[in-house]
Amino acid sequence: MASSCSSLLHSSFTSSLNLKSTTTTRRPPPFSISCTSTDSDNNTTAAAAIKHRRPADENIREEARRHNSTSPPTPFSAKYVPFNPSSSSSASTESYSLDEIVYRSRSGGLLDVQHDLDALKKFDGAYWRDLFDSRVGKTTWPYGSGVWSKKEWVLPEIHPDDIVSAFEGNSNLFWAERFGKQFLGMKDLWVKHCGISHTGSFKDLGMTVLVSQVNRLRKIGKPVVGVGCASTGDTSAALSAYCASAGIPSIVFLPANKISIAQLVQPIANGAFVLSVDTDFDGCMKLIREVTAELPIYLANSLNSLRLEGQKTAAIEILQQFDWQVPDWVIVPGGNLGNIYAFYKGFKMCQELGLVDKIPRLVCAQAANANPLYLHFKSGWGEFKPIQANSTFASAIQIGDPVSIDRAVYALKNCNGIVEEATEEELMDAMALADSTGMFICPHTGVALTALIKLRKSGVIGPTDRTVVVSTAHGLKFTQAKVDYHSKEISDMACRYANPPVNVKADFGSVMDVLKGFLKDKAPK
């Protein structure tokens, strides 16, 4: 029996996702639908729509190479320019190819990766939204990565053969329903869990970009023997993993006795050359700068602006996961301060290229024991003064002289942003409360949640504001901190929400007594 339905889709929808247009504005045309088809027509259409697997002797990189062999050169490009927040970047003629090994401008300032926005604007916001959405959840090389699914906005000219990726990104954005309702009176609280990634932190987003570019540099004969970084843990884990994947030597400078065992074992397991240095992160950073100036070791810290290109894709993902609706607030833990600028840059590019019409307000959350940006903010953005960072459970942000201070200030000023801080007790209590609602977060996320709690109490963030807290690492990297808290073994800390195990005799009566006491007030309400 004939069904009454047949549809005719404009074939130009799929062709609009190739980058061959030179018109000033492109977007896929709307679907038009008409009907009268038979069942046999439907069967024929379904058979034609079946996609066949690639040849068995061809891997996904080779498949991408075959498809790209007939593609025209990309119309997009990017370059290094001096980061100069006080004037338009177009006012400077200084620029560098991304194939050059350069970390600072001639004046000694930071660099930024500048994209050719005029070329990107030849395709409208709807085009970019559809293109990025079409790549989500696929295994097509390299677009299965949350970073490389935005390749045109990251490293547009790199060849897919040079990309080193573990399909990072695409991390979970979940509704923190119980935490928001019970502790904050909020209906629209979300957590962007960047710790659900290849090495357990957001650093993967930037490291796939940096190591991919290093892979390219080595192939074109640049003098790069290995890649090095100073780290408080997560950077070294990401660097060592991606370098190991590409067969590139990695060198890691770690402050002795200042990172968790879980963080230390990652670069060791991935074959990095690990130097445990008797100093703090700032001391390690000073050493790695001096070393990379003398040896053919490529610097992988966020002084290198390539990493920020990958990290900014987390901001684009947030918009994408909200179906391109803009949240009111995004709260980001801050240490070396590259990430707060990366989030700003991702949101701002989406606004400039027409994907959204505004950007969220950003909050940078710092540990009180390592809070130079917070002090700078509270002074009314007066003269910045580095500090000596003290020990904090949020060890990855234990930094007193952040490299990206200028970037962070620029980002916060341009989004009406705020800086807040968390004491050690506040951040550990916030972590415990979050865990009690089903999360399992890191201390750095505890810093961000403390900032949220304070801003809710002061009324700055409202009960209906859509708010995203960025969780930068997985809680499994910080199990010892959790053990110490729940064992109440942290000096000068009440550990108010500790949940230690209960010791009980191995007999039925004793177990029943304990359980009855536990269940007494636990009935559903």
Side-chain angles (χ1 to χ4, degrees):
M1 186 154 184
S3 69
S4 76
C5 183
S6 72
S7 58
L8 178 62
L9 305 180
H10 283 290
S11 61
S12 55
F13 171 73
T14 52
S15 65
S16 72
L17 296 187
N18 64 45
L19 302 181
K20 297 179 181 178
S21 170
T22 57
T23 58
T24 56
T25 302
R26 285 292 307 276
R27 62 177 297 167
F31 295 124
S32 81
I33 300 176
S34 61
C35 291
T36 48
S37 78
T38 64
D39 290 338
S40 59
D41 289 333
N42 288 336
N43 293 335
T44 303
T45 303
I50 293 174
K51 294 184 178 181
H52 297 283
R53 286 180 59 177
R54 64 182 180 276
D57 61 349
E58 181 181 64
N59 64 39
I60 59 171
R61 194 188 292 272
E62 292 165 340
E63 180 185 37
R65 188 184 304 142
R66 172 165 54 83
H67 289 161
N68 289 329
S69 63
T70 57
S71 299
T74 178
F76 311 119
S77 62
K79 61 185 176 181
Y80 293 121
V81 297
F83 177 79
N84 187 359
S86 61
S87 65
S88 170
S89 56
S90 61
S92 173
T93 59
E94 182 182 355
S95 66
Y96 306 91
S97 164
L98 298 186
D99 289 339
E100 293 188 58
I101 300 174
V102 56
Y103 310 114
R104 288 193 177 273
S105 67
R106 287 194 290 264
S107 65
L110 298 170
L111 294 174
D112 198 20
V113 175
Q114 182 186 78
H115 290 264
D116 183 353
L117 290 181
D118 289 338
L120 293 170
K121 285 178 180 177
K122 291 180 179 178
F123 301 83
D124 71 2
Y127 170 84
W128 291 115
R129 290 194 300 266
D130 289 335
L131 178 65
F132 295 161
D133 286 346
S134 74
R135 292 168 172 173
V136 172
K138 303 297 193 298
T139 56
T140 305
W141 185 265
Y143 304 124
S145 159
V147 172
W148 296 109
S149 65
K150 286 85 177 171
K151 179 179 181 294
E152 295 82 4
W153 291 23
V154 178
L155 286 186
E157 295 172 284
I158 194 168
H159 194 280
D161 269 2
D162 298 331
I163 291 174
V164 182
S165 173
F167 279 11
E168 52 290 309
N170 294 321
S171 58
N172 189 16
L173 175 69
F174 67 87
W175 181 34
E177 179 183 12
R178 184 181 164 203
F179 187 89
K181 178 180 179 180
Q182 183 172 337
F183 300 117
L184 297 167
M186 296 183 72
K187 299 178 181 295
D188 214 359
L189 174 63
W190 298 77
V191 175
K192 176 64 170 170
H193 202 334
C194 295
I196 301 177
S197 190
H198 184 55
T199 71
S201 88
F202 79 95
K203 300 296 179 72
D204 294 344
L205 305 179
M207 209 57 75
T208 179
V209 177
L210 184 140
V211 175
S212 295
Q213 182 63 13
V214 169
N215 197 35
R216 168 178 164 76
L217 294 177
R218 285 163 60 92
K219 287 182 179 181
I220 63 175
K222 294 288 184 177
V224 178
V225 174
V227 190
C229 74
S231 180
T232 50
D234 293 332
T235 301
S236 63
L239 174 65
S240 57
Y242 283 87
C243 281
S245 179
I248 299 171
S250 59
I251 301 96
V252 171
F253 286 56
L254 295 176
N257 304 316
K258 290 183 174 67
I259 68 170
S260 73
I261 294 297
Q263 289 173 302
L264 175 62
V265 76
Q266 288 183 278
I268 291 173
N270 285 136
F273 187 67
V274 179
L275 301 176
S276 180
V277 188
D278 186 21
T279 183
D280 58 9
F281 171 81
D282 297 316
C284 288
M285 190 69 220
K286 180 176 181 295
L287 284 169
I288 193 70
R289 286 186 199 173
E290 294 170 349
V291 167
T292 53
E294 299 294 329
L295 296 175
I297 298 172
Y298 193 83
L299 180 63
N301 283 95
S302 56
L303 174 65
N304 188 317
S305 54
L306 282 175
R307 276 178 46 194
L308 305 184
E309 293 305 293
Q311 290 167 210
K312 78 184 181 191
T313 63
I316 305 170
E317 275 185 17
I318 288 172
L319 298 176
Q320 195 171 16
Q321 289 166 312
F322 282 133
D323 198 20
W324 304 102
Q325 297 173 6
V326 182
D328 299 300
W329 297 90
V330 175
I331 305 175
V332 185
N336 219 16
L337 303 181
N339 212 25
I340 191 73
Y341 175 68
F343 270 80
Y344 169 78
K345 189 173 185 180
F347 288 129
K348 193 65 179 176
M349 280 191 75
C350 286
Q351 183 187 35
E352 290 180 336
L353 292 171
L355 285 74
V356 295
D357 60 0
K358 62 180 180 178
I359 65 174
R361 292 182 70 183
L362 297 178
V363 178
C364 187
Q366 292 208 293
N369 283 0
N371 63 348
L373 180 66
Y374 174 77
L375 297 175
H376 190 34
F377 172 74
K378 297 300 284 186
S379 73
W381 301 122
E383 181 183 356
F384 175 72
K385 297 178 181 178
I387 66 169
Q388 179 65 47
N390 294 314
S391 178
T392 172
F393 284 101
S395 56
I397 57 175
Q398 185 179 316
I399 299 169
D401 189 11
V403 166
S404 292
I405 179 64
D406 292 339
R407 292 170 174 152
V409 171
Y410 174 80
L412 291 164
K413 284 183 175 180
N414 281 277
C415 69
N416 193 22
I418 295 173
V419 187
E420 192 47 89
E421 67 172 356
T423 67
E424 293 303 287
E425 188 155 18
E426 287 171 338
L427 73 90
M428 292 297 282
D429 282 347
M431 181 176 71
L433 282 176
D435 288 354
S436 75
T437 66
M439 299 188 227
F440 194 74
I441 64 169
C442 65
H444 316 82
T445 309
V447 174
L449 287 173
T450 298
L452 171 59
I453 291 167
K454 291 181 175 182
L455 293 171
R456 270 293 294 124
K457 285 182 178 179
S458 66
V460 174
I461 293 180
T464 60
D465 288 355
R466 176 172 286 181
T467 303
V468 179
V469 170
V470 177
S471 182
T472 51
H474 203 290
L476 286 171
K477 288 191 171 193
F478 301 92
T479 53
Q480 189 59 52
K482 294 177 182 289
V483 168
D484 291 345
Y485 182 90
H486 289 289
S487 302
K488 294 192 172 184
E489 293 181 355
I490 303 173
S491 61
D492 301 320
M493 190 177 293
C495 302
R496 289 183 294 160
Y497 308 107
N499 182 32
V502 177
N503 295 318
V504 61
K505 292 181 180 179
D507 66 77
F508 179 77
S510 298
V511 170
M512 286 295 290
D513 288 343
V514 169
L515 289 177
K516 286 177 181 178
F518 172 73
L519 295 173
K520 184 177 180 181
D521 299 318
K522 297 295 189 295
K525 297 177 181 179

